[in-house]
Amino acid sequence: MDSGSIPVGDLAGGLDLQATLESGQTFLWRRDDGRAYETADATGGSAWYYTVVVGHTEGRADVVRVRQREGMLEWEATTDADPLLAERLRLGDDLPAIFAEIPDDPLLDDAIDAYRGLRIVDDPFFPCLVSFICSAQMRVGRIHGMQTALAREFGETVRLDGETYHGFPTPDRLAAATEADLRELGLGYRAPYVQRSAELVASGEATAEDVRGLDYEDAREAMQAFVGVGDKVADCVLMFSLGYLEAVPLDTWIQTAIADYYPHCEKGSYAETSRALRAEFGGEFAGYAQTYVFHYLRNQE
DNA sequence: AGCCAGGCAAGTG
DNA sequence: CACTTGCATGGC
């Protein structure tokens, strides 16, 4: 077991680990105090979170545990987690510079003040894709539960200190699952979408490389080659895995925010409304603004 | 009991 | 192109 700590007080804009991991942008981390993961709560501030990383070390999966305490991001892992955490948590993002690009308005100011230090994540593509295919018409807590179930049933196991951990399943493994297998895990009508998209990735018929590097709106179209991916899911994967920080996923919460705060942005179609809200949120880092607003609104009664 | 949740695919006009 | 319908499931 390796360990280390990263002084996050020195980072531009700091870090709020709990908000970052529990804001519904990643479903690959679990809190090992066993508490609910549905919304942020006061006890999560120094909780341990863990994930299983597949493909970081040749020939095996790694376990990484982190917690934030006294200005440090402390980690224990079966590998050197410093570079991994810097990538996954986008510790290099200059938050003050990003906030400077986001306009001031009452909602954005409140949301950013409430969760300053929340960072967009950089998740691996396939797990992120599957997570957001599963997200359709589903609450955050249950999406998280589905990914846990997928890992438990189909993921590679890692044993450490007498505990068994499960990594996220590979495309091959989920492509080989049947729709009935996946329905048994509670995926509902999303089951065939996950299976068919896994086949596309496993066969190479559609991959992240078809999308990476395209201009944002072309990338959003290209994402829809995957089954179960429309405009909204595409935007989530683009932001949380492929680094398109201008993406503004229009989910039900954001639609409500548009109606309540930005009615002039409602243009009748996803593409036009998204474009208008992207401009309203300052363009280049509009996704950051969107993610703060989503987390903020979702945690208001 | 009904309504809702980080929507999408398929069918129709 | 826009619009409508069907789709799983658990929590409130």
Side-chain angles (χ1 to χ4, degrees), chain A residues 2 8 29 32 34 39 50 56 63 65-66 76 92 99 102 110 122 129 137 145 153 157 166 172 202 265 269-270:
Chain A
D2 203 349
V8 292
W29 294 84
D32 70 0
T39 55
Y50 70 88
H56 184 255
V63 179
R65 285 157 46 86
V66 293
E76 302 175 353
F99 297 151
I102 296 173
D110 286 349
D122 184 359
L129 173 67
Q137 293 292 102
E153 294 301 318
T157 62
H166 301 271
D172 284 322
C265 290
S269 74
Y270 190 100

Side-chain angles (χ1 to χ4, degrees), chain A residues 137-150:
Chain A
Q137 293 292 102
M138 199 51 61
R139 287 176 217 275
V140 166
R142 288 196 57 208
I143 302 165
H144 193 260
M146 288 179 187
Q147 309 319 304
T148 304
L150 285 171

Side-chain angles (χ1 to χ4, degrees), chain A residues 9 14 53 78 157 166 174 192 219 235 241 249:
Chain A
V53 180
T78 55
T157 62
H166 301 271
L174 284 187
D235 271 332
S241 177

Side-chain angles (χ1 to χ4, degrees), chain A residues 201-251:
Chain A
V201 175
S203 69
E205 192 173 336
T207 70
E209 305 319 310
D210 302 332
V211 177
R212 214 185 292 275
L214 296 177
D215 288 344
Y216 163 61
E217 292 194 356
D218 292 335
R220 195 176 64 201
E221 279 304 303
M223 277 301 302
Q224 294 175 48
F226 298 98
V227 183
V229 178
D231 285 317
K232 188 271 169 186
V233 169
D235 271 332
C236 289
V237 178
L238 289 179
M239 176 157 50
F240 302 134
S241 177
L242 296 180
Y244 288 82
L245 302 184
E246 68 268 55
V248 284
L250 302 184
D251 60 71

Side-chain angles (χ1 to χ4, degrees), chain A residues 57-88:
Chain A
T57 305
E58 187 76 25
R60 68 152 203 266
D62 290 298
V63 179
V64 177
R65 285 157 46 86
V66 293
R67 70 172 170 181
Q68 182 170 12
R69 203 174 58 157
E70 294 169 3
M72 305 294 281
L73 184 63
E74 304 175 352
W75 60 261
E76 302 175 353
T78 55
T79 183
D80 175 12
D82 273 334
L84 185 118
L85 289 167
E87 178 184 346
R88 291 289 184 92

